[in-house]
Amino acid sequence: MIGRASGYSAIGLDVGSRCIKAVQFARSRKGLNISAIACIERSGKGERGTLLAAEAGSLREVFARQGFRGRAVVLAGAPGRMLSGVMELPPRSSGAPIDQIARMELARANGCPPDSLELSWWELPAGKRAQDGTHVFAVGLRHADAHEAIDGLEAAGMEVRALDSGTLGISRLCALLSTSPATPVTGLLDIGWSGTSVAVLLGTTLVYQRLLPAMGMSHLHSRLVSELLIDAEAAEFVIRRVGVSNELSEEQRNWELLEDARSVVADHADSISAELKASLSYATRRYDATGAASVLASGGGASVPGLLDRVQRASEERIRAIRPADIAASPKDPLAATLAMDPRLACAAGLALEPTAALQLEAATA
Amino acid sequence: MNGVNLIPASRRELAARRSRIRAWAVILAGVAILSAPAAAAFRAMWYLDSGPARLAIAAAQTETQDSGARLLKVRGETAKLNQAEMASRMVGEHPDWSLLLQAINLVRGDSVALESFDLRFTPPVAAAAAAPATSPTAGTEAKPTVAAVSERYTVNMRGIATDLSRVMTFVGRLEGLGVMERVAMKQSRAENNRGVVVTGFDVECTLADRLVAPTPKDTATAEVPAPGDRP
């Protein structure tokens, strides 16, 4: 939420496997501006969503240097540690304690004590099939994981205002873009280094989410290294510069392993397409949604040359990358402006938009 | 739903409590900052405004003390005047004993001779102070009332007469004067005076009690002022 007094939002913080992304917005008379944006490479190997103590300690200083204001942070929980699921509960009219039942169900499904996790849930729209019960989408996080994520930042002097889901952060960003009722179904494709997340929004409600650890860019990187027998830097170059794009330089065209590399990347894209298509198909049928679906892609994978085109062709869905600059004016600094166009920072931008502010912005846009 | 907060509730409550404490600290500091000048102004106004009042209070206290001193002085003067009045009354109202002596001499006759004449004065006393009555239910004592104050004179005469009948005649005449309340023949005896046997006698006469006005002292001792009564 953008504070009325300060005019600055909380810092949206997306801790990725390879870099830490942070975005902060400011509101002015002309609208929403990106006041500060940063993408900090992680020195050591860290899990997505979890900061090392040394990283957390230096983060505040880095933020101050990069022009961030305040110390309030909205953090995304580690995707691998988030607990989520769709569950059928008794109807509301029965007077049953739905919150308690949802907690028990999620705890049972994940094998943890019910009182050891923090839970949030929301009701899903009525589906195509007639149902007596209430279908809810529950998201939870174990207290131990939450404390681990927060302790380091608070020890460094930051104030964690909320611990959110990264997918919901991206959905807030999408809510500002896709307001047309003609496309009620929106697919979210977050292609990260450690995994890919596929989610489906019905309107602005998250109705489906699936994490695909084997479809992260690290998996593609490993395949390139192992199948083409190239070193890690070359594989990195293929991912960042070659991809499956046809726009290649003369030097790239003369690379003898070009087609093999493109084939591996294309295969990876096709795998993602298949998962995306299946997910969208399920949601469309489940909720009887009509009209063409649109897909918004984020994460480092969305920047791989030609990857989104390949996925679009394979899945037959309209796909576009989503970036912080799509909803707010870019900063004047060239480096910051470049980062504002990077789909990797979409999640951090969405996290910076806490629900209240996002709804206000949505209403203003409509 | 487009946002959740999975921070543990206990941690959120702790943060909210810290936030409330910080907010209250800021509020209290603000109130203190705002109220300090007001308190200073109020204090200054109090001291400025209290000058005349303090002077008035001091003047009133001084006047009260002076009035008390004057009252004591007046009381002392009143007591002196009362004593002077009593003295002048006692002196001024003293009986003319020459008239009594003339009357006694007149009723004595030729056959009675007086050898001594003793006049004694009994100071005035409260003649009939009502007994204090107690009320069993109220438990309060009724005020003693002073009915009258009387003074008394006693005349003792000693003399001789030719015989006892003359003495009795003398006693009867004394009673006949009307000024004696009581005339008592105390003693009679036979005496030999210069070789002549005569009858000696002692007569005691009590003059009638004379009621006098009670003195302030008597009143003060007889009447117990009620608590709270002002002199």
Side-chain angles (χ1 to χ4, degrees):
Chain A
M1 183 169 62
I2 295 178
R4 289 181 181 177
S6 65
Y8 292 92
S9 71
I11 301 169
L13 187 62
D14 176 24
V15 181
S17 306
R18 303 183 75 193
C19 56
I20 299 165
K21 285 88 70 175
V23 177
Q24 187 175 34
F25 293 105
R27 187 189 293 277
S28 69
R29 290 182 179 179
K30 294 180 181 177
L32 205 60
N33 300 318
I34 299 171
S35 64
I37 189 166
C39 184
I40 307 158
E41 296 287 338
R42 300 184 76 172
S43 55
K45 286 186 177 180
E47 185 188 355
R48 185 175 185 194
T50 305
L51 281 171
L52 301 175
E55 292 172 330
S58 63
L59 205 55
R60 192 172 184 191
E61 185 185 343
V62 174
F63 281 168
R65 207 167 49 235
Q66 299 279 352
F68 288 90
R69 304 289 186 90
R71 54 193 193 94
V73 189
V74 177
L75 182 66
R81 301 189 184 188
M82 297 286 285
L83 315 174
S84 64
V86 175
M87 52 189 72
E88 185 176 355
L89 303 177
R92 278 183 180 276
S93 57
S94 67
I98 294 180
D99 188 73
Q100 293 294 326
I101 297 172
R103 179 180 294 274
M104 297 291 288
E105 281 291 310
L106 194 67
R108 186 187 56 77
N110 293 278
C112 60
D115 57 353
S116 69
L117 57 88
E118 198 65 27
L119 176 82
S120 186
W121 59 269
W122 56 92
E123 202 169 334
L124 295 176
K128 183 180 180 181
R129 290 169 292 182
Q131 297 153 347
D132 293 333
T134 303
H135 281 71
V136 301
F137 194 112
V139 178
L141 185 66
R142 291 182 180 89
H143 287 165
D145 294 334
H147 289 310
E148 185 185 347
I150 296 168
D151 284 343
L153 284 168
E154 290 199 339
M158 307 297 289
E159 177 202 343
V160 180
R161 187 179 288 176
L163 186 52
D164 206 343
S165 158
T167 306
L168 288 173
I170 298 172
S171 76
R172 289 200 287 269
L173 208 61
C174 296
L176 301 180
L177 295 173
S178 54
T179 56
S180 170
T183 56
V185 178
T186 306
L188 300 181
L189 189 60
D190 183 27
I191 310 170
W193 180 258
S194 58
T196 293
S197 168
V198 179
V200 179
L201 297 178
L202 192 66
T204 58
T205 304
L206 180 67
V207 296
Y208 176 84
Q209 182 183 12
R210 189 178 176 199
L211 183 65
L212 307 168
M215 292 188 186
M217 299 309 291
S218 63
H219 185 73
L220 174 61
H221 185 270
S222 300
R223 279 186 63 188
L224 287 170
V225 170
S226 61
E227 291 181 16
L228 303 181
L229 301 176
I230 57 176
D231 58 15
E233 288 184 3
E236 183 81 21
F237 179 82
V238 169
I239 291 172
R240 288 197 176 187
R241 302 290 181 189
V242 179
V244 284
S245 173
N246 293 322
E247 298 173 0
L248 300 173
S249 64
E250 193 63 29
E251 184 184 1
Q252 289 171 342
R253 288 180 193 280
N254 294 332
W255 186 37
E256 58 182 7
L257 296 176
L258 176 64
E259 289 306 318
D260 293 339
R262 286 166 59 96
S263 171
V264 171
V265 175
D267 184 50
H268 187 77
D270 290 345
S271 300
I272 294 173
S273 302
E275 291 293 341
L276 176 66
K277 192 172 182 178
S279 300
L280 288 173
S281 173
Y282 161 77
T284 305
R285 282 187 283 106
R286 169 74 174 75
Y287 296 103
D288 196 19
T290 56
S294 63
V295 178
L296 299 172
S298 61
S303 303
V304 175
L307 183 77
L308 291 187
D309 293 334
R310 177 85 185 193
V311 173
Q312 181 169 287
R313 279 198 301 275
S315 64
E316 299 173 350
E317 305 290 352
R318 291 180 293 113
I319 299 179
R320 56 167 289 200
I322 184 170
R323 300 158 297 191
D326 293 337
I327 62 153
S330 297
K332 293 177 181 176
D333 178 60
L335 181 60
T338 306
L339 288 174
M341 298 297 291
D342 193 336
R344 286 184 298 171
L345 285 102
C347 180
L351 290 171
L353 298 168
E354 284 184 61
T356 310
L359 290 173
Q360 288 171 353
L361 289 168
E362 186 180 18
T365 308
Chain B
M1 174 67 71
N2 57 4
V4 296
N5 192 355
L6 300 177
I7 294 176
S10 58
R11 197 161 190 144
R12 272 185 283 174
E13 287 173 9
L14 194 65
R17 194 176 301 138
R18 279 201 297 261
S19 177
R20 280 197 300 272
I21 290 171
R22 278 198 298 270
W24 275 110
V26 169
I27 289 169
L28 290 176
V31 169
I33 289 169
L34 289 175
S35 60
F42 180 75
R43 194 174 177 83
M45 287 173 63
W46 173 263
Y47 273 105
L48 287 174
D49 287 346
S50 66
R54 283 166 178 257
L55 289 174
I57 291 169
Q61 286 176 341
T62 306
E63 191 176 349
T64 305
Q65 289 175 352
D66 292 346
S67 299
R70 281 199 298 272
L71 183 62
L72 288 174
K73 191 177 177 181
V74 168
R75 281 183 179 170
E77 290 175 354
T78 306
K80 285 179 183 176
L81 290 173
N82 285 334
Q83 287 179 354
E85 184 194 2
M86 279 181 63
S88 65
R89 186 185 297 169
M90 286 179 69
V91 172
E93 295 180 357
H94 200 74
D96 187 356
W97 296 115
S98 63
L99 297 176
L100 180 64
L101 288 174
Q102 284 178 5
I104 291 172
N105 188 46
L106 188 65
V107 299
R108 176 178 60 88
D110 296 332
S111 55
V112 174
L114 294 178
E115 293 178 339
S116 68
F117 185 91
D118 182 27
L119 177 67
R120 291 184 184 277
F121 171 68
T122 302
V125 293
T134 54
S135 169
T137 53
T140 56
E141 291 187 355
K143 286 183 178 180
T145 56
V146 178
V149 175
S150 61
E151 55 187 13
R152 175 181 300 175
Y153 293 91
T154 306
V155 177
N156 287 304
M157 290 176 286
R158 182 181 186 134
I160 54 175
T162 56
D163 53 45
L164 185 59
S165 62
R166 299 294 180 179
V167 176
M168 298 310 295
T169 304
F170 175 59
V171 170
R173 287 178 179 176
L174 285 175
E175 288 178 343
L177 286 176
V179 296
M180 304 295 185
E181 180 184 350
R182 185 171 64 89
V183 179
M185 178 75 177
K186 301 288 287 186
Q187 189 180 13
S188 64
R189 60 198 172 271
E191 293 182 4
N192 190 349
N193 190 352
R194 299 175 190 174
V196 179
V197 178
V198 293
T199 301
F201 65 89
D202 293 331
V203 177
E204 183 184 85
C205 307
T206 302
L207 272 68
D209 288 345
R210 189 179 63 153
L211 292 176
V212 296
T215 61
K217 186 179 177 182
D218 296 331
T219 308
T221 54
E223 293 184 0
V224 180
D229 285 354
R230 291 287 181 185

